[in-house]
Amino acid sequence: MHVNDLETPAVLIDIDIMMRNIMRMQAHCDALGVKFRPHIKTHKIPDIARLQIEAGAQGIACQKVSEAQLFAESGFNDIQIPYNIVGAQKTNKLADLALFNKITVSVDHVRVIDGLAAAAKTREMSLRVLVELETDIQRTGAKVAEVVTLAQRIEEEENLHFAGLLVYPSSPTMRPAVQEAIQMLSAAGIGVDVVSGGGTLAAQHAAQIPELTELRVGTYVFNDWTTVAKGAAALDDCAMHILATVVSRPTPERAILDCGSKTLSSDRYGGFFGYIVEYPLARIYQLSEEHAFVDLSACEDHPVIGDRVHVIPVHTCVAMNLANFVYGVRGEALEVEWPVAARGLVW
Amino acid sequence: MHVNDLETPAVLIDIDIMMRNIMRMQAHCDALGVKFRPHIKTHKIPDIARLQIEAGAQGIACQKVSEAQLFAESGFNDIQIPYNIVGAQKTNKLADLALFNKITVSVDHVRVIDGLAAAAKTREMSLRVLVELETDIQRTGAKVAEVVTLAQRIEEEENLHFAGLLVYPSSPTMRPAVQEAIQMLSAAGIGVDVVSGGGTLAAQHAAQIPELTELRVGTYVFNDWTTVAKGAAALDDCAMHILATVVSRPTPERAILDCGSKTLSSDRYGGFFGYIVEYPLARIYQLSEEHAFVDLSACEDHPVIGDRVHVIPVHTCVAMNLANFVYGVRGEALEVEWPVAARGLVW
């Protein structure tokens, strides 16, 4: 089947580019001597995670218990969830999953530890727990001064095991905090087996934090306009393209594509909602749900109604999450149709 | 089942509020003497469209051929697609659908007309076609000066029928253009059966364009933070709430909820990504894929990890489109689980 036989908007994955990205990141981690743990939140497709494992990854990261369950059922065993799992329903499902799989989870507060401990205790099993450090993005994470208290609390619980530290993103600026946390834990007699770093951008600079033992990276598998704009990838490294049709040309300088915020998402970077391969100087400046507004004023050539274009999304993870199916292609040949199996899972 | 038994994030639809919204908009249209055509892009659920029809709506609007097909298969007959349908695959499916259903579609260019005509001709059937007028939002739509040419072209095609004009949004500022288009068509001997207006905000002011014969409105069924902020609804008219859990409290002034951009979408209004019912002065100032960053600095009470809150999304249509299932509730009782049947349909 030819790509032109697909109706638009369609999410295309260039298999050759994806495989090159997979091999390159694995080689990067191998050269650094750190273990690699791809984050499946980007693709949510077991078949693609299998390619990452076959390339040498040690396990995977999932962002939700429901994702971990789906991937465990698909044959993946070593799964990390870098997220505070809160509430008895979720901690119970997490503990059920950990009865038969190697599951590691992160925490940043004693309340989260208490919930995990209760779920693990009723099952007489042990959960592996990382302590998350706060980073420059000021999202979740404990302060360095709190790490020893949290690690001790984990170790006091009979059914929890302190597995190490987790950092997102593991930018080079985080090294002093990581070093300080390790020293404080060491002084308290607590060993740190794992220091898990993450982020496609931070992975480039992972050599600057030699304390890292593993990297969790998601976006690298496809890349997107943001990773290109931030210098972590070239345009030729972008494996995901949204095949879209020009559906309206209301003025000489405006085109409308059939990929709106329900296809690309509303994520933007530098005022852009996506990059059009065929029209590098065009600018997707606005989205409706099913319309992309394109400014052609800087372009020499102008498309006509019915033309098809390839759009590199600003954020591949959220674009993927909007599709029910994506299409693996080699050149213009359609090779495989993948259901986005873990999209829309709630808990 | 109690709402508290649901895992989070969960999309809740308050059935009583939704029904009040449905009845109110229908009564508004009845009072104006215009037909009402709810746009299903907001909910994508046949059961909810059925409630809208039972309340008096004449038909529905869908934004895609695939949505129209799903709703036709669910028993809806009078379906309008206010979109340029471009490409032989889509026009053929549209024409197939129109063989057994009353389908109306809009155009803004002769190329779009040509595509529709070709598909209709091979089936020896007739497609109803509206001409879309450009509006203040400068998206799709033909200029008034082009309307007669387009209408004549439609009428020249044996298998197309010119059905009237379409405007989105039908703000009062559009009246002069609508009047001019009708006058020009009348002078050319072409009657205008339908003037279809649209938009939840514009619907409030529909009395100011007495030329309108029908209204297409979507968001009104649930409302959201944007319709509230723009004065088209009160907070109590918001039928959709995202039930979310506080998963982290890294600082006294910051909370993290488990509803990120893969739940709320990245649509924002006035710097907000959602309104927290229990903490009206809190501010969702940033999203990651599975995290909402909340600034509590203006709040007197502060939630603890594990607390649940109700978030009114900024844009209900895109939040709905991210869920696989939503939950119809009355008070705190779960009454029905609806699959979001038409979400993720591509073409």
Side-chain angles (χ1 to χ4, degrees), chain A residues 4-10 41-42 44 63-64 67 82-84 86-87 89-90 93 108-109 111-112 134 137-141 143 146 219 245-251 254 256-259 261-263 265-268 285-286 288-291 293 304-308 315 317-318 321-325 327 343-347, chain B residues 4-10 41-42 44 63-64 67 82-84 86-87 89-90 93 108-109 111-112 134 137-141 143 146 219 245-251 254 256-259 261-263 265-268 285-286 288-291 293 304-308 315 317-318 321-325 327 343-347:
Chain A
N4 284 348
D5 297 327
L6 291 171
E7 293 181 76
T8 66
K41 61 147 190 166
T42 302
K44 302 203 177 201
Q63 203 68 354
K64 299 176 163 227
E67 291 176 354
Y83 202 84
N84 285 351
V86 172
Q89 291 134 310
K90 284 180 190 158
K93 288 191 180 170
D108 72 356
H109 195 281
R111 276 182 185 266
V112 186
E134 187 175 53
I137 64 166
Q138 300 191 322
R139 191 169 70 181
T140 48
K143 303 207 182 317
E146 302 164 345
T219 307
T245 299
V246 177
V247 293
S248 184
R249 286 299 322 280
T251 72
R254 191 193 326 146
I256 302 291
L257 309 178
D258 61 355
C259 54
S261 62
K262 285 178 173 170
T263 304
S265 91
S266 306
D267 278 28
R268 70 184 102 187
Y285 62 95
Q286 194 176 323
S288 299
E289 287 161 54
E290 307 292 356
H291 304 77
F293 297 54
V304 298
I305 290 175
D307 282 355
R308 290 180 162 206
H315 188 181
C317 312
V318 287
N321 184 56
L322 288 161
N324 287 349
F325 295 92
Y327 301 93
R343 74 127 268 115
L345 297 182
V346 171
W347 40 277
Chain B
N4 284 347
D5 297 326
L6 290 171
E7 294 183 74
T8 66
K41 61 147 190 167
T42 302
K44 301 201 178 205
Q63 202 68 353
K64 300 173 163 232
E67 291 176 352
Y83 202 83
N84 284 353
V86 172
Q89 290 134 311
K90 284 180 191 160
K93 288 193 180 169
D108 71 357
H109 194 281
R111 276 182 185 266
V112 186
E134 187 174 54
I137 64 166
Q138 300 191 322
R139 192 169 70 180
T140 48
K143 303 207 183 316
E146 302 164 344
T219 307
T245 299
V246 177
V247 293
S248 184
R249 286 298 323 279
T251 72
R254 191 193 326 145
I256 302 291
L257 309 179
D258 60 357
C259 54
S261 62
K262 284 177 173 170
T263 303
S265 91
S266 303
D267 277 29
R268 69 184 102 185
Y285 62 94
Q286 194 177 323
S288 299
E289 288 161 54
E290 306 292 356
H291 303 77
F293 297 54
V304 298
I305 289 174
D307 282 356
R308 290 180 163 206
H315 188 180
C317 312
V318 287
N321 183 57
L322 287 161
N324 287 348
F325 295 92
Y327 301 94
R343 73 128 268 116
L345 297 182
V346 170
W347 40 278

Side-chain angles (χ1 to χ4, degrees), chain B residues 32 46 200 248 260 272:
Chain B
L32 286 172
T200 292
S248 184
F272 274 92

Side-chain angles (χ1 to χ4, degrees), chain B residues 147-170:
Chain B
V147 168
V148 171
T149 307
L150 292 172
Q152 283 173 334
R153 179 68 170 254
I154 293 166
E155 287 290 68
E156 282 163 22
E157 293 289 345
E158 197 180 342
N159 300 91
L160 300 184
H161 168 65
F162 173 70
L165 298 171
L166 183 128
V167 184
Y168 178 83
S170 53

Side-chain angles (χ1 to χ4, degrees), chain B residues 231-250:
Chain B
L235 281 172
D236 288 349
D237 298 325
C238 292
M240 176 187 283
H241 297 92
I242 313 291
L243 185 67
T245 299
V246 177
V247 293
S248 184
R249 286 298 323 279

Side-chain angles (χ1 to χ4, degrees), chain B:
Chain B
M1 194 170 167
H2 192 274
V3 168
N4 284 347
D5 297 326
L6 290 171
E7 294 183 74
T8 66
V11 180
L12 310 182
I13 304 298
D14 186 303
I15 296 173
D16 293 333
I17 297 177
M18 176 184 76
M19 288 309 303
R20 198 174 66 208
N21 293 340
I22 289 173
M23 295 304 175
R24 190 187 289 159
M25 184 62 78
Q26 186 63 52
H28 175 62
C29 291
D30 291 347
L32 286 172
V34 301
K35 292 180 177 170
F36 182 49
R37 182 183 291 284
H39 200 317
I40 64 81
K41 61 147 190 167
T42 302
H43 53 70
K44 301 201 178 205
I45 296 174
D47 281 350
I48 294 180
R50 215 161 280 124
L51 296 171
Q52 293 170 309
I53 295 286
E54 285 167 9
Q58 67 163 339
I60 60 173
C62 296
Q63 202 68 353
K64 300 173 163 232
V65 180
S66 51
E67 291 176 352
Q69 182 167 312
L70 185 140
F71 276 78
E73 288 166 359
S74 302
F76 297 87
N77 181 274
D78 181 349
I79 302 177
Q80 182 193 91
I81 309 177
Y83 202 83
N84 284 353
I85 304 304
V86 172
Q89 290 134 311
K90 284 180 191 160
T91 52
N92 284 332
K93 288 193 180 169
L94 178 79
D96 284 341
L97 204 57
L99 283 171
F100 302 103
N101 297 277
K102 182 182 176 189
I103 303 287
T104 311
V105 67
S106 70
V107 302
D108 71 357
H109 194 281
V110 67
R111 276 182 185 266
V112 186
I113 296 172
D114 288 348
L116 295 176
K121 191 170 187 178
T122 59
R123 285 160 186 77
E124 297 182 3
M125 46 83 75
S126 178
L127 266 175
R128 298 166 47 82
V129 183
L130 301 164
V131 171
E132 182 184 3
L133 284 180
E134 187 174 54
T135 66
D136 301 340
I137 64 166
Q138 300 191 322
R139 192 169 70 180
T140 48
K143 303 207 183 316
V144 172
E146 302 164 344
V147 168
V148 171
T149 307
L150 292 172
Q152 283 173 334
R153 179 68 170 254
I154 293 166
E155 287 290 68
E156 282 163 22
E157 293 289 345
E158 197 180 342
N159 300 91
L160 300 184
H161 168 65
F162 173 70
L165 298 171
L166 183 128
V167 184
Y168 178 83
S170 53
S171 312
T173 51
M174 281 304 295
R175 190 178 184 202
V178 169
Q179 288 181 308
E180 193 183 349
I182 293 172
Q183 281 157 11
M184 291 171 72
L185 287 162
S186 174
I190 302 174
V192 179
D193 291 340
V194 173
V195 181
S196 180
T200 292
L201 304 176
Q204 289 186 292
H205 311 292
Q208 295 179 47
I209 312 186
E211 290 79 12
L212 294 175
T213 65
E214 70 168 26
L215 280 176
R216 305 178 317 280
V217 192
T219 307
Y220 85 99
V221 68
F222 300 142
N223 291 307
D224 54 26
W225 176 248
T226 305
T227 51
V228 171
K230 292 190 173 177
L235 281 172
D236 288 349
D237 298 325
C238 292
M240 176 187 283
H241 297 92
I242 313 291
L243 185 67
T245 299
V246 177
V247 293
S248 184
R249 286 298 323 279
T251 72
E253 303 202 329
R254 191 193 326 145
I256 302 291
L257 309 179
D258 60 357
C259 54
S261 62
K262 284 177 173 170
T263 303
L264 294 173
S265 91
S266 303
D267 277 29
R268 69 184 102 185
Y269 186 83
F272 274 92
F273 291 94
Y275 172 89
I276 305 175
V277 174
E278 291 83 354
Y279 297 91
L281 299 177
R283 193 181 165 85
I284 301 181
Y285 62 94
Q286 194 177 323
L287 299 178
S288 299
E289 288 161 54
E290 306 292 356
H291 303 77
F293 297 54
V294 183
D295 176 5
L296 298 168
S297 57
C299 305
E300 284 198 13
D301 290 334
H302 288 183
V304 298
I305 289 174
D307 282 356
R308 290 180 163 206
V309 296
H310 292 74
V311 179
I312 295 175
V314 160
H315 188 180
T316 188
C317 312
V318 287
M320 193 78 181
N321 183 57
L322 287 161
N324 287 348
F325 295 92
V326 300
Y327 301 94
V329 300
R330 286 196 203 263
E332 305 215 299
L334 179 65
E335 193 164 302
V336 56
E337 179 178 322
W338 282 305
V340 188
R343 73 128 268 116
L345 297 182
V346 170
W347 40 278

